Amino acid sequence: MTHDHHDETTGKPFDARLVRRLLVFIRPYWRTVGAAVAILIFVAGFELALPFLMRSAIDDYIVATTRILLAEDDSSGFVSEHRDDLLPIDDFGSRWEGARPPRAYLVTAKHLSGYDPRSVAKASELGVILEKSYYAAARDKIVLAGLVPAEFVVAGDRIALPVDVLAALSPEQIHILREGDARGLGRIAIIILVMLIISFGFTLLEINMMELTSQRVMYDIRMKVLRHMMRLSLSFFDRNPVGRLVTRATNDVQVLHEMFTSIVTMLLRDLFVLIGVVIVLLRLNWRLALVSLAVLPFMAWATVAFSVKIRDAFREVRVKVAKINAMLQESIGGMRVIQIFAHESESFRRFSGINHENFLAAMKQIRTFAMFMPLMELASSTAIGLVIWYGGGSVIRNTLSLGTVVAFLSYVQMFFRPLRNLAQQYGTMQQAMASSERIFMLLDNDQMILDPDEPVRPDTIEGRISFESVSFSYTEGEQVLRDVSFTVEPGETVAIVGATGAGKTSIINLIERFYDVEEGRVTLDGIDLRQMDRSFLRSHIGLVMQDVFIFAGDIGGNIRLGNQGIDDERLREVARHVNADTFIDRLAGGYHEEVRERGVTLSTGQRQLLAFARALAFDPAILILDEATANIDTETEHLIQQALVRLMAGRTSIVIAHRLSTIQHADKILVMHKGKIREAGTHLDLLSQRGYYYHLYQLQYAQ
């Protein structure tokens, strides 16, 4: 069997073309998605603000140190550049030993962190920025603590006392002096708590919005996939296993759901965080930012190398899993044959080999991840080490505040977290791209029977069917019908017989327009079937096959097939006409009796009677019976023969049968052989000719 629809894909970790096609399904919900993205940006902003608040808590309230800056000539440019950050000191000249006292200012360690460290270092070397650290408190707090303001540096309403003096104060004095710092820390703690609560609420809202959108998108994709498959010709289903097609509408769509709800959300949030972290780091201290991000070239190289290796590993795993699924489907579907022929050991051996190949491929994938993740952790740890080395040294040299270093450590960890998340979600991204590709390969398949732009729907159907020099093949170059011509008049019963592969079922497929002819034409009441609406055509044809498909549900539902115009009275009437009531009335639930899929709880004859009732309920003008009386017992055959007489009365009927006894009363019998009509006539006419039909009859009734 050849397959049109493969599990193999290009294996791209990210395919922009596929993403654009997926966006078509998201477009109807763009408002919801837009709102979710806005929430993501909002939450990312909250996340970026937390380390900044930590820096403020440390520099403004926990450490809270200042230094004295002197406005000598060498520093006049420095002072003018940062004058807004400086607090002038009152009467510094009285403390100055020299001819001309300089102007003096208090500058916080937090503000010094934003200055050029080379300028700060140079100013310190020149004695422009004094090394001694001070703690600035409000004047009333100094007095309340029992300290003498005049002994310290006075700057307006602030009084700065040396940090070493604080160590000699009592806990009560410390409490008085730093009461404002404690309140400041409390405010920041409350702000952080409120931000976390708001972030939780918005994150919950965003998750619900994305889940809702994802479920709607998945619903639309499944409906589009099923709608498309219903339009495909039977030739497509001849070439593709049912399990594979079911996987397209279930597993592959579910993978897309995971991508929408986890990867897309995570990628968007992480992207905002990455961009925000870089911007914040550069604004805090661009030199320390460059030092901390020095590992990025190494990470870029590792990521590129990893993506190539993991793509190959995922592709290999996907191929092996597809082989396992195919082997399992084949083994379970053919379990009866396997057990009858004691083939269990050989099947198990084959499966063991395929399963071992999958194990080796999975281990290769795991080893690749196991190598990449430590590299990511090494890069992250290296960046943190660089921050501690360079930033800590700057703190020691008084060119950087402690809060800035702590904030940098938080931001660096925040920067590497999205990269780790991306590596962990790489597999899901691969699967999503592969699933998208397989879904769109199915949707792009154009093997379908199309209706004309203006299909014909005649008011009445008489039932005259004509084949005019029809040739047809399922596979190019292998014709199953060759120049077939015949006519079935309205109300006439025509039987078609012949050996297996003679082309009998192909004739039915063309009448139902499951396929289109290659040469010639098939007409109904003189109208080419290719000019008619398919649904209209099939609504006037009743088909009863040897293998009757029974849907999971109840007896009545399997007769109605969703047509609510068939009421209970009509249901019982058609069942009585085809003798199906003989077994339905014996069921505990009657017409409401539940049946399992494919009718496994019913006998072959009971399923056939249900099929006759189904056909009669729709009152078709044309009736087609394809081996409808095969494989049933004599008693049931008698009931079916009675049903057939009632069913075919007044209808154009085409009967395919291997049992020649069931077609002896047909108005005409067509004898097929190797895709051609070899003989035609009544039962007695064909016997008298002593040709191919006579030979078939002799084989069946030689005794």
Side-chain angles (χ1 to χ4, degrees), residues 19-174:
V19 173
R20 285 195 298 269
R21 296 192 65 175
L22 287 173
L23 289 177
V24 173
F25 291 97
I26 302 176
R27 192 173 297 156
Y29 314 107
W30 66 270
R31 288 186 177 87
T32 305
V33 174
V37 171
I39 292 174
L40 280 174
I41 298 174
F42 188 72
V43 172
F46 272 16
E47 189 174 354
L48 289 169
L50 292 178
F52 205 83
L53 289 172
M54 291 170 54
R55 177 204 183 209
S56 180
I58 293 172
D59 287 345
D60 293 341
Y61 302 111
I62 297 177
V63 177
T65 59
T66 61
R67 294 169 66 186
I68 295 178
L69 183 147
L70 303 179
E72 291 286 358
D73 293 338
D74 291 333
S75 64
S76 58
F78 184 89
V79 171
S80 62
E81 183 180 354
H82 303 290
R83 189 176 299 278
D84 293 339
D85 302 333
L86 306 178
L87 185 63
I89 297 175
D90 301 340
D91 195 23
F92 187 77
S94 61
R95 301 167 181 255
W96 183 255
E97 298 176 0
R100 196 180 77 178
R103 293 292 306 273
Y105 303 88
L106 286 178
V107 58
T108 66
K110 179 180 176 180
H111 285 125
L112 285 176
S113 295
Y115 303 160
D116 184 348
R118 289 176 299 183
S119 299
V120 175
K122 180 181 178 181
S124 298
E125 291 174 3
L126 295 173
V128 175
I129 299 179
L130 305 184
E131 293 292 336
K132 193 171 185 178
S133 295
Y134 292 82
Y135 172 77
R139 179 186 294 270
D140 58 340
K141 297 296 183 182
I142 296 289
V143 175
L144 190 61
L147 303 177
V148 180
E151 296 179 357
F152 309 115
V153 178
V154 180
D157 62 344
R158 308 289 291 178
I159 295 178
L161 60 157
V163 172
D164 53 5
V165 173
L166 292 177
L169 300 180
S170 67
E172 291 77 11
Q173 290 175 312
I174 294 294

Side-chain angles (χ1 to χ4, degrees), residues 60 70 81 144 153 267 281 299 316 324 433 435 472 492 503 578 596 658:
D60 293 341
L70 303 179
E81 183 180 354
L144 190 61
V153 178
L267 283 178
L281 289 181
M299 288 180 55
E316 187 175 355
I324 286 180
M433 290 295 102
S435 294
F472 173 71
E492 190 176 38
V578 298
R596 296 179 184 175
H658 279 123

Side-chain angles (χ1 to χ4, degrees), residues 399-504:
T399 59
L400 196 64
S401 69
L402 179 61
T404 301
V405 174
V406 172
F408 255 85
L409 291 174
S410 297
Y411 281 123
V412 167
Q413 290 177 318
M414 192 183 298
F415 180 83
F416 282 92
R417 188 177 64 231
L419 300 179
R420 285 193 294 267
N421 291 339
L422 180 60
Q424 292 171 352
Q425 295 295 332
Y426 190 89
T428 306
M429 176 66 77
Q430 274 266 297
Q431 293 173 1
M433 290 295 102
S435 294
S436 303
E437 189 169 359
R438 288 194 292 264
I439 289 172
F440 287 123
M441 284 170 62
L442 173 59
L443 294 177
D444 291 340
N445 192 293
D446 58 357
Q447 298 180 35
M448 58 181 63
I449 304 297
L450 300 176
D451 286 330
D453 294 335
E454 298 181 1
V456 177
R457 300 181 182 88
D459 296 332
T460 59
I461 297 294
E462 296 180 6
R464 179 180 291 103
I465 300 173
S466 295
F467 274 59
E468 302 173 7
S469 302
V470 171
S471 295
F472 173 71
S473 63
Y474 296 103
T475 304
E476 186 176 356
E478 300 178 7
Q479 285 192 335
V480 293
L481 293 179
R482 299 178 178 87
D483 194 26
V484 173
S485 297
F486 66 89
T487 299
V488 183
E489 296 296 336
E492 190 176 38
T493 298
V494 172
I496 304 175
V497 300
T500 301
K504 305 184 297 298

Side-chain angles (χ1 to χ4, degrees), residues 158-436:
R158 308 289 291 178
I159 295 178
L161 60 157
V163 172
D164 53 5
V165 173
L166 292 177
L169 300 180
S170 67
E172 291 77 11
Q173 290 175 312
I174 294 294
H175 175 73
I176 293 172
L177 289 177
R178 308 209 63 177
E179 184 180 4
D181 294 332
R183 285 199 300 268
L185 285 176
R187 285 194 301 270
I188 290 180
I190 292 173
I191 292 173
I192 291 176
L193 180 61
V194 171
M195 288 176 61
L196 290 175
I197 294 174
I198 295 175
S199 178
F200 170 79
F202 275 106
T203 301
L204 187 62
L205 177 61
E206 179 269 330
I207 290 174
N208 282 314
M209 294 172 69
M210 288 301 293
E211 282 283 353
L212 177 62
T213 302
S214 176
Q215 290 296 336
R216 287 173 173 171
V217 171
M218 298 309 102
Y219 174 87
D220 294 343
I221 292 177
R222 285 194 182 100
M223 294 302 295
K224 187 175 182 64
V225 167
L226 183 59
R227 189 181 299 113
H228 184 77
M229 284 197 291
M230 285 182 172
R231 297 172 59 197
L232 293 172
S233 69
L234 289 185
S235 60
F236 173 82
F237 299 97
D238 293 339
R239 294 179 172 89
N240 290 277
V242 174
R244 178 178 294 167
L245 299 179
V246 171
T247 301
R248 295 298 84 83
T250 53
N251 294 6
D252 285 334
V253 175
Q254 183 61 34
V255 170
L256 294 184
H257 167 71
E258 294 174 7
M259 181 185 72
F260 278 119
T261 55
S262 59
I263 296 180
V264 171
T265 303
M266 185 179 295
L267 283 178
L268 287 174
R269 185 185 67 239
D270 290 346
L271 179 62
F272 295 139
V273 169
L274 280 174
I275 296 174
V277 165
V278 172
I279 294 174
V280 172
L281 289 181
L282 292 174
R283 287 184 63 85
L284 280 177
N285 192 300
W286 65 269
R287 293 173 178 81
L288 183 55
L290 294 181
V291 171
S292 61
L293 299 179
V295 296
L296 285 182
F298 168 77
M299 288 180 55
W301 168 82
T303 302
V304 172
F306 164 77
S307 64
V308 174
K309 288 183 176 293
I310 199 62
R311 180 185 61 202
D312 296 339
F314 268 110
R315 183 184 301 169
E316 187 175 355
V317 169
R318 194 164 57 243
V319 171
K320 301 305 180 185
V321 169
K323 288 184 178 180
I324 286 180
N325 291 338
M327 178 67 185
L328 282 174
Q329 184 176 1
E330 180 183 89
S331 298
I332 295 173
M335 189 60 69
R336 183 185 299 272
V337 176
I338 290 174
Q339 294 181 353
I340 288 175
F341 289 93
H343 196 61
E344 294 93 339
S345 298
E346 176 61 21
S347 295
F348 187 81
R349 185 191 63 78
R350 287 178 55 208
F351 181 78
S352 177
I354 296 175
N355 196 28
H356 184 66
E357 291 177 1
N358 178 66
F359 168 78
L360 295 178
M363 289 305 299
K364 179 180 178 182
Q365 172 185 314
I366 291 171
R367 283 193 297 269
T368 305
F369 264 114
M371 179 176 62
F372 180 75
M373 294 307 294
L375 286 176
M376 294 289 293
E377 293 297 334
L378 176 63
S380 175
S381 300
T382 302
I384 292 173
L386 289 173
V387 170
I388 294 175
W389 166 70
Y390 185 86
S394 298
V395 171
I396 293 173
R397 293 189 297 271
N398 283 323
T399 59
L400 196 64
S401 69
L402 179 61
T404 301
V405 174
V406 172
F408 255 85
L409 291 174
S410 297
Y411 281 123
V412 167
Q413 290 177 318
M414 192 183 298
F415 180 83
F416 282 92
R417 188 177 64 231
L419 300 179
R420 285 193 294 267
N421 291 339
L422 180 60
Q424 292 171 352
Q425 295 295 332
Y426 190 89
T428 306
M429 176 66 77
Q430 274 266 297
Q431 293 173 1
M433 290 295 102
S435 294
S436 303

